[in-house]
Amino acid sequence: MLWESPVCRVVRVADPNYPGFCRVIWTAHIREMTDLDAGERRSLMDVVFAVEGVIRSLFAPDKINLASFGNVVPHVHWHVIPRWQEDRHFPEPIWGTVQREGRPGAPTVDDATLADALSRALGGSTQ
Amino acid sequence: MLWESPVCRVVRVADPNYPGFCRVIWTAHIREMTDLDAGERRSLMDVVFAVEGVIRSLFAPDKINLASFGNVVPHVHWHVIPRWQEDRHFPEPIWGTVQREGRPGAPTVDDATLADALSRALGGSTQ
């Protein structure tokens, strides 16, 4: 857990190919974004975009990818993924065909640093 | 073109495997969501979620997938994709491994019907 509020939490995804990959998970069991009301959607997207901003500032990726699928687990959550031109799938989405044995030349950022940056961006509780 | 405003437009993606697949494209050349200001982000996401609502009401998919990548064309745009359990890639994202020669049993909805529903949901101009 990197950050949490009463309505959602931010976790880091342990994928060695994608350092900095985070997930924002809505706490209540909701299937689709349009099952939330407008205020709830706004709260959630504010967190998603704050996570994007923090990842950009700490990892300086070539691109940010955002996605909400929920095909396997139909519970609203967002993937926030920093991408590098030399990463494993670029320019494909990370669910696409492997392009190379890529490892991005991303800076090493530990969980505490990431959690602190999220807490500064979003306020509220941290790990 | 299904719908447009001064800041963005909604187009239908011609993919026979994914009827109802729409794309919301920000007009100005912007790379990342966090390069927009908070009001612009909100305006764009309001359109994305309105498109999701219209697609749900017209196509009744099993799930909605939302994604913003821009790895190939780094210009902010959102994919809004209705998914069915028997579609070509389910439960993988549509950029993942083909699962079957699937064709969803989706209703046929022509562009004019989709454009009219968007115009009712969003106001403003249509095709």
Side-chain angles (χ1 to χ4, degrees), chain A residues 2 12 19-20 22 54 58-59 107-118 127:
Chain A
L2 295 171
R12 191 168 188 170
C22 289
V54 163
L58 291 177
F59 292 88
T108 302
V109 178
D110 64 19
D111 289 356
T113 302
L114 195 46
D116 284 350
L118 286 168
Q127 44 182 183

Side-chain angles (χ1 to χ4, degrees), chain B residues 44-120:
Chain B
L44 176 53
M45 296 316 295
D46 283 350
V47 175
V48 170
F49 297 132
V51 171
E52 172 179 310
V54 164
I55 290 174
R56 289 182 73 186
S57 71
L58 291 178
F59 291 89
D62 294 323
K63 191 71 194 65
I64 290 284
N65 286 181
L66 303 172
S68 173
F69 300 133
N71 302 328
V72 178
V73 182
H75 181 127
V76 165
H77 61 277
W78 282 88
H79 306 282
V80 186
I81 314 160
R83 302 296 309 273
W84 284 267
Q85 290 186 357
E86 69 273 28
D87 75 29
R88 190 166 166 82
H89 300 87
F90 200 92
E92 290 293 306
I94 69 165
W95 300 273
T97 306
V98 171
Q99 304 293 310
R100 66 191 70 80
E101 283 305 313
R103 283 293 285 276
T108 302
V109 178
D110 63 20
D111 289 356
T113 302
L114 194 46
D116 284 349
L118 285 169
S119 190
R120 280 196 303 278

Side-chain angles (χ1 to χ4, degrees), chain A residues 39-58:
Chain A
E40 292 171 324
R41 278 200 294 273
R42 186 169 299 168
S43 298
L44 176 53
M45 297 316 295
D46 283 350
V47 175
V48 170
F49 297 131
V51 172
E52 173 178 310
V54 163
I55 291 175
R56 289 182 73 186
S57 70
L58 291 177

